[in-house]
Amino acid sequence: MCYLKTVLFVLIIQSTGNISQEISDEQPNIIVILADDLGWNDFGIHGSNQIPTPNIDALGYNGVILDKFYTQQTCTPSRAALLTGKYPMRLGLQGTPIDAGENRSLPLDTPTMAEQLRELGYSTHLVGKWHLGAACKEHTPTKRGFDTHFGYWSGYVGYYSYEINVTRPDDKTKNFTGFDLHNALKPEWGHQGQYATELFTKKSLEVIDNHDETKPLFLMLSHLAGHTGHDGTELGVPNQSRTDEKYSYIKHGGRRNLADLVNIMDWSVGEVVKKLSDRGMLENSIVLFFSDNGAQTEGMFQSFASSWPFRGLKFTLFEGGVRGTGVMYSPLFKKQSYVNRQLIHITDLLPTFYRAAGGNVEDLGNIDGIDQWDVISKNKTTNRSTILINIDDWNGYSGILGYEGRYKLLNGSFKDGLYNDYYSESYRGSENPPYDISSVMKSNVNIAIQKLRENNPLLPAKVKELRKQVTLNPCRPKNTTELFTCDEMCLFDIYKDPCETTNIIKEPSNQRIVQNLEEKLDKYLSKIVPAENKKVDILSDPKNFNNTWTPWLICDQKTQVYKYGWAEFYRNPFIKPLKCISFYL
Ligand SMILES: *[C@@H]1O[C@H](CO)[C@@H](O)[C@H](O)[C@H]1NC(C)=O
Ligand SMILES: *[C@@H]1O[C@H](CO)[C@@H](O)[C@H](O)[C@H]1NC(C)=O
Ligand SMILES: *[C@@H]1O[C@H](CO)[C@@H](O)[C@H](O)[C@H]1NC(C)=O
Ligand SMILES: *[C@@H]1O[C@H](CO)[C@@H](O)[C@H](O)[C@H]1NC(C)=O
Ligand SMILES: *[C@@H]1O[C@H](CO)[C@@H](O)[C@H](O)[C@H]1NC(C)=O
Ligand SMILES: *[C@@H]1O[C@H](CO)[C@@H](O)[C@H](O)[C@H]1NC(C)=O
Ligand SMILES: *[C@@H]1O[C@H](CO)[C@@H](O)[C@H](O)[C@H]1NC(C)=O
Ligand SMILES: *[C@@H]1O[C@H](CO)[C@@H](O)[C@H](O)[C@H]1NC(C)=O
Ligand SMILES: *[C@@H]1O[C@H](CO)[C@@H](O)[C@H](O)[C@H]1NC(C)=O
């Protein structure tokens, strides 16, 4: 098998001549594990002692801790940026995330990471959340480059019920209710009652077990944890009394549940890495873990997650909304066990992986991401000096980060300053147990990785040193009575003031900076594809489809005509529901 791969590789080099020998003599497996709505302070690696995340931490301590890794402010924009390498404002996906029953999707003419990697010979799999449209079957993951998908199409589901509700378009007091767990297009009713994190882990392990070794693997495991589930308040744990016992040092019940569901997701990361190791695949893998956006400590979908010490929550463009937790490991990295302080944006992941996979990044066309492979794997200085954080024309706020990530300009704020405060405490009080380095050393991730670094083992002293390097000083203001919004523009010096306490836009010495960032923002604005958020479509009602969310439109990619299919006939009381599901699938 290996011999065959080597021969193939030589042939590829000879025919294209531009595959970098440094990367690997085989295309690496690419594993992306995504958390939902978790903040900077929900991981042990950043200095919080409250939630044990030994596997995720071990991934960072052995690999690279991405310190200036920026995501988008919410789910749909982040996933669109990840999969296309484009700023979501160029796809019309910059605004409020896609609702179940909403006719909106990733544009069909923009290729996804799965399509691009498949072109390079990868077998491609998605487990868990999609959230990039499902109005017609062409929008769904297995039509967008994934060989398989087991999971859900909408923003969240119940941790056990796999149901999601959306307000009826014709009656705000009522809901459309439907089941959303699918294997490709097929509903998977049989799994109701199984715990989502465990189910998605099991399915991911099956993907790795069944993987044909003659091909490289692209697996994206996109967890429900730590988003709230079911009715938007559920923080599902498998055994409530066990959770309450194990986390009795946490006073707040909601935060207790969050701690456990994050810890179970951490277990999942350990299982996946262990399986890669058991199958001999880890030695040629890149494993990335990150959270799609910041914490939602309060408000809609309140999960008690924490972006401490940063300002702002999910939805905002403050650091608390977009400064992502990212850790990446690969034995192929030339530099390991270090903190990378280069500016990296979520759109960079596509070209970075594409390059690592032996592709020519120029083939990706006009994207916003840049190849950061040398930046991450060798700690080289990045070519990125600016990140367009977002332009949300739907909600009317935008932001840009320039000067190597030093200065941030914000223009307007989400819903007049909603979520723009400082939330949650540090969770570093003495009631919390001390950080347990031995559990990091004994984690499945660490055990698997140590087998690959025989002569250079990770030592507890290194863990301490790295953790210290990424733990921020408490930078919050002592007195927030005069907290300002950025309805007018704000300028922050993120290096000096990571907590965004002081608006320095009026300082005369900053006027060149302000002007420069405004010009850049204006330039992007001129390229915007307007957000086209739509109302929930009355004919998407899961009642028409055996109480299951089902693509309800017929899309013709060529003519761009999207029309109703049989759902139209449900207006006719003589036609029985159920009959037509197969027509759509
Ligand atoms: C509609 O669904 C939401 C979210 O699941 C829930 O909070 C609300 O109570 C539901 N409304 C009704 C009338 O059941
Ligand atoms: C959805 O709403 C219905 C009422 O419309 C309610 O009975 C049900 O419990 C809700 N389900 C979820 C998952 O929120
Ligand atoms: C739930 O946890 C409690 C406390 O740890 C334990 O006694 C009980 O056996 C557990 N229940 C189940 C079903 O595992
Ligand atoms: C990474 O590069 C920066 C300079 O860009 C340097 O300060 C730092 O020491 C380097 N870290 C390692 C581990 O090489
Ligand atoms: C930055 O861009 C230059 C010119 O395209 C390129 O040669 C160099 O490798 C890039 N640096 C990194 C770290 O990718
Ligand atoms: C906080 O700031 C407000 C407004 O400037 C001031 O009135 C108040 O006394 C300050 N509180 C403390 C504790 O410093
Ligand atoms: C800032 O926002 C306002 C209002 O949305 C808009 O008119 C203006 O063009 C924006 N400025 C820049 C530099 O984008
Ligand atoms: C309708 O859904 C139920 C589960 O809720 C399932 O058992 C049944 O097979 C489905 N019927 C059809 C016709 O698909
Ligand atoms: C669905 O969205 C597409 C793309 O915006 C639009 O062309 C089409 O008319 C919509 N169809 C329906 C039935 O809403």
Side-chain angles (χ1 to χ4, degrees), residues 179 187-190 192 545-548 577-579 581:
F179 177 77
E188 287 280 343
W189 295 294
Q192 259 181 325
F545 304 99
N546 196 18
N547 301 313
T548 300
L578 305 190
K579 214 159 93 187
I581 293 185

Side-chain angles (χ1 to χ4, degrees), residues 128-428:
K129 170 161 157 174
W130 171 241
H131 212 182
L132 289 168
C136 55
K137 61 183 177 188
E138 286 77 6
H139 294 160
T140 63
T142 51
K143 307 289 180 188
R144 296 311 320 265
F146 288 99
D147 299 342
T148 68
H149 174 227
F150 182 96
Y152 55 105
W153 294 331
S154 284
Y156 60 94
V157 288
Y159 278 86
Y160 292 94
S161 70
Y162 302 96
E163 273 181 6
I164 179 166
N165 273 352
V166 69
T167 309
R168 278 189 77 102
D170 55 343
D171 181 352
K172 299 261 172 275
T173 67
K174 294 208 175 89
N175 281 330
F176 283 164
T177 303
F179 177 77
D180 180 7
L181 183 69
H182 295 86
N183 181 352
L185 293 160
K186 212 166 89 318
E188 287 280 343
W189 295 294
H191 295 283
Q192 259 181 325
Q194 294 175 23
Y195 185 58
T197 307
E198 288 166 2
L199 179 58
F200 295 151
T201 305
K202 182 166 161 253
K203 291 291 168 183
S204 300
L205 300 184
E206 279 172 23
V207 166
I208 300 171
D209 264 331
N210 297 334
H211 178 63
D212 166 8
E213 276 180 281
T214 60
K215 283 177 146 196
L217 169 70
F218 171 48
L219 167 64
M220 182 162 145
L221 164 54
S222 177
H223 275 295
L224 171 62
H227 203 293
T228 54
H230 196 68
D231 59 358
T233 66
E234 179 197 25
L235 286 164
V237 291
N239 179 342
Q240 190 64 59
S241 38
R242 189 184 147 276
T243 301
D244 291 338
E245 266 172 35
K246 188 168 171 193
Y247 299 94
S248 57
Y249 56 90
I250 303 176
K251 270 186 245 114
H252 192 282
R255 177 83 185 162
R256 257 195 320 265
N257 277 23
L258 182 81
D260 204 13
L261 70 83
V262 170
N263 180 250
I264 296 169
M265 182 184 64
D266 180 80
W267 159 84
S268 168
V269 173
E271 290 295 298
V272 168
V273 172
K274 179 174 187 295
K275 178 64 76 180
L276 290 168
S277 172
D278 290 349
R279 279 218 63 193
M281 290 165 68
L282 186 61
E283 61 197 71
N284 188 37
S285 290
I286 303 168
V287 184
L288 166 69
F289 171 88
F290 73 99
S291 175
D292 63 345
N293 49 251
Q296 193 58 357
T297 315
E298 292 190 9
M300 188 170 51
F301 307 128
Q302 173 178 37
S303 71
F304 312 98
S306 167
S307 290
W308 187 95
F310 293 131
R311 180 173 182 181
L313 297 180
K314 175 185 178 184
F315 295 104
T316 75
L317 306 184
F318 291 109
E319 298 288 278
V322 296
R323 177 99 167 247
T325 294
V327 291
M328 202 164 172
Y329 167 78
S330 175
L332 308 173
F333 291 165
K334 293 281 180 277
K335 262 216 164 74
Q336 302 189 348
S337 293
Y338 81 100
V339 179
N340 184 296
R341 300 198 192 271
Q342 301 294 312
L343 194 61
I344 299 175
H345 187 242
I346 186 168
T347 54
D348 299 338
L349 295 170
L350 168 62
T352 301
F353 289 145
Y354 196 75
R355 155 94 182 281
N360 180 352
V361 172
E362 279 170 23
D363 296 344
L364 296 173
N366 179 14
I367 58 171
D368 299 298
I370 66 164
D371 164 21
Q372 303 260 34
W373 177 256
D374 289 338
V375 172
I376 295 168
S377 68
K378 297 180 188 161
N379 192 28
K380 285 262 156 64
T381 304
T382 181
N383 282 334
R384 182 185 270 289
S385 65
T386 305
I387 288 174
L388 175 70
I389 305 177
N390 200 26
I391 302 179
D392 180 348
D393 52 330
W394 189 256
N395 295 295
Y397 65 125
S398 57
I400 191 164
L401 189 63
Y403 298 85
E404 281 76 48
R406 175 159 190 183
Y407 292 106
K408 187 196 272 187
L409 184 81
L410 295 183
N411 183 20
S413 54
F414 178 65
K415 298 203 190 295
D416 302 322
L418 184 63
Y419 307 141
N420 91 120
D421 206 337
Y422 296 89
Y423 302 85
S424 96
E425 47 161 313
S426 70
Y427 302 129
R428 283 151 167 79

Side-chain angles (χ1 to χ4, degrees), residues 478-482:
K478 299 258 178 320
N479 184 353
T480 57
T481 15
E482 278 192 314

